[in-house]
C-alpha cells in the first residue's frame, strides 16, 4: 500500500514538472517569436527608407538630366536664331527721314536728312530721290506727318505711292478752297497718316504732293518706314 502511494506521488510530481516545462517552453517560444517580429519590422523599416532614398536619388538625377537637356536645347535654339538673324540682316528695318520745306507737286518728296536709321537695311531709303526700296518682303508700317501752311482758297493733297501707283486710302488733305478770301491770314494745320503695306523685294514706296494751290506749302515733313513681319 505504501509503495502504491509512492508511485502515485511520483506520477503527480512528474505531471506537474512536465506541465511547468511546457509552459516555460511556450513562453520561451513566444519571446523568441516576438523578438524575431521586432527584428523583421526593424529590417523592413530600414529597407523602406533605403528604397525611398534610392528612388529619390534616381528621380533627382533624372530631373537634373532632363533640365540640362532642355537647357542645352534652348541654348541651341537661341544660338540658331542669332545665327539666322546674322545671316539675314534685312529682317530688321527701321528708317525715318526729314524735309523742312516742300511745295513741288507730283514728284516724290525728297529729304534733307535721316531722323534715325536702324537695322541692317540702312540704304533702303534714298534721300535724294525720296524713294524707299524694299530689300526684304513682308508687312511694313509706313507713316508720314507734316505741317501745312495754307491761306483761304488754298489746298494741299498728299498721297503715298506704291510702285508708282497711288494708294488712295493714304490720302491726307487740307482744303480751304471754300473759305472766303477776306478771312485773311495763314493757317497752320498738322496731321499724319499711317498705312500697313505688304512689300515684295524690290517694291518702292514714296510720298507725293499731288495738288497744291496758291502759296500753300508743306513743312517739317517726316517719313517713317519699319518692317513688321518678314
Amino acid at each position: 500500500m505504501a509503495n502504491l502511494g509512492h508511485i502515485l506521488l511520483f506520477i503527480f510530481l512528474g505531471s506537474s514538472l512536465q506541465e511547468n516545462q511546457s509552459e516555460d517552453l511556450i513562453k520561451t517560444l513566444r519571446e523568441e517569436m516576438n523578438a524575431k517580429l521586432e527584428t523583421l519590422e526593424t529590417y523592413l523599416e530600414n529597407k523602406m527608407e533605403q528604397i525611398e532614398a534610392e528612388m529619390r536619388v534616381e528621380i533627382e538625377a533624372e530631373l537634373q538630366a532632363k533640365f540640362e537637356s532642355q537647357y542645352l536645347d534652348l541654348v541651341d535654339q537661341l544660338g540658331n536664331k542669332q545665327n539666322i538673324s546674322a545671316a539675314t540682316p534685312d529682317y530688321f528695318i527701321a528708317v525715318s527721314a526729314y524735309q523742312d520745306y516742300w511745295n513741288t507737286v507730283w514728284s516724290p518728296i525728297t529729304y534733307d536728312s535721316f531722323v534715325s536709321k536702324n537695322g541692317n537695311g540702312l540704304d533702303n531709303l534714298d534721300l535724294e530721290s525720296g524713294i524707299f526700296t524694299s530689300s526684304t518682303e513682308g508687312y511694313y508700317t509706313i507713316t508720314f506727318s507734316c505741317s501745312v501752311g495754307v491761306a483761304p482758297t488754298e489746298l494741299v493733297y498728299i498721297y503715298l505711292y506704291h510702285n508708282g501707283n497711288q494708294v488712295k486710302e493714304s490720302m491726307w488733305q487740307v482744303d480751304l478752297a471754300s473759305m472766303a478770301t477776306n478771312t485773311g491770314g495763314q493757317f497752320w494745320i498738322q496731321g499724319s497718316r499711317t498705312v500697313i503695306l505688304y512689300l515684295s523685294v524690290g517694291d518702292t514706296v514714296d510720298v507725293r504732293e499731288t495738288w497744291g494751290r496758291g502759296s500753300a506749302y508743306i513743312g517739317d515733313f517726316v517719313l517713317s518706314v519699319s518692317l513688321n513681319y518678314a
Side-chain angles (χ1 to χ4, degrees):
M1 190 68 176
N3 290 335
L4 180 59
H6 290 158
I7 291 172
L8 292 174
L9 178 61
F10 177 77
I11 293 173
F12 173 76
L13 291 174
S15 299
S16 299
L17 180 60
Q18 185 175 6
E19 184 178 350
N20 291 334
Q21 288 177 345
S22 298
E23 291 178 357
D24 291 341
L25 180 59
I26 292 172
K27 181 179 179 181
T28 300
L29 291 174
R30 185 181 292 112
E31 292 175 351
E32 289 179 355
M33 184 177 295
N34 290 335
K36 289 181 179 180
L37 288 174
E38 292 178 0
T39 301
L40 180 59
E41 289 177 358
T42 302
Y43 171 78
L44 291 176
E45 290 177 357
N46 294 336
K47 194 64 177 178
M48 288 298 297
E49 292 177 356
Q50 180 182 352
I51 293 173
E52 290 177 359
E54 291 175 353
M55 291 181 62
R56 188 181 299 110
V57 171
E58 290 179 1
I59 292 173
E60 290 177 353
E62 183 178 352
L63 291 176
Q64 180 67 22
K66 184 177 294 186
F67 171 79
E68 291 177 355
S69 176
Q70 293 177 349
Y71 174 77
L72 292 175
D73 289 343
L74 180 60
V75 170
D76 289 341
Q77 292 175 8
L78 292 175
N80 291 335
K81 287 183 178 180
Q82 292 175 353
N83 291 335
I84 291 173
S85 298
T88 54
D90 293 338
Y91 274 16
F92 174 56
I93 298 172
V95 62
S96 183
Y98 173 80
Q99 171 60 260
D100 69 334
Y101 178 88
W102 189 262
N103 67 346
T104 303
V105 296
W106 294 114
S107 63
I109 297 175
T110 61
Y111 303 97
D112 299 323
S113 61
F114 286 107
V115 177
S116 64
K117 52 180 182 176
N118 299 299
N120 300 288
L122 301 182
D123 298 327
N124 293 76
L125 178 61
D126 182 63
L127 296 180
E128 294 183 358
S129 67
I131 296 176
F132 174 90
T133 303
S134 170
S135 59
T136 300
E137 64 177 353
Y139 291 94
Y140 288 77
T141 296
I142 305 166
T143 299
F144 61 86
S145 61
C146 63
S147 298
V148 174
V150 290
T153 73
E154 296 179 345
L155 53 82
V156 171
Y157 281 69
I158 302 173
Y159 282 91
L160 179 71
Y161 279 74
H162 177 203
N163 291 335
N165 300 311
Q166 188 180 90
V167 180
K168 295 182 179 180
E169 296 82 359
S170 67
M171 182 184 71
W172 189 86
Q173 66 172 350
V174 176
D175 191 342
L176 301 185
S178 61
M179 183 176 288
T181 56
N182 59 7
T183 305
Q186 188 178 51
F187 297 88
W188 279 97
I189 300 174
Q190 187 176 36
S192 65
R193 199 70 164 168
T194 299
V195 296
I196 297 176
L197 294 178
Y198 184 85
L199 303 182
S200 299
V201 176
D203 280 8
T204 61
V205 169
D206 64 84
V207 182
R208 306 178 192 182
E209 178 187 0
T210 60
W211 198 359
R213 178 186 296 174
S215 61
Y217 68 92
I218 299 170
D220 296 324
F221 186 90
V222 176
L223 171 68
S224 300
V225 182
S226 61
L227 174 63
N228 299 325
Y229 173 76

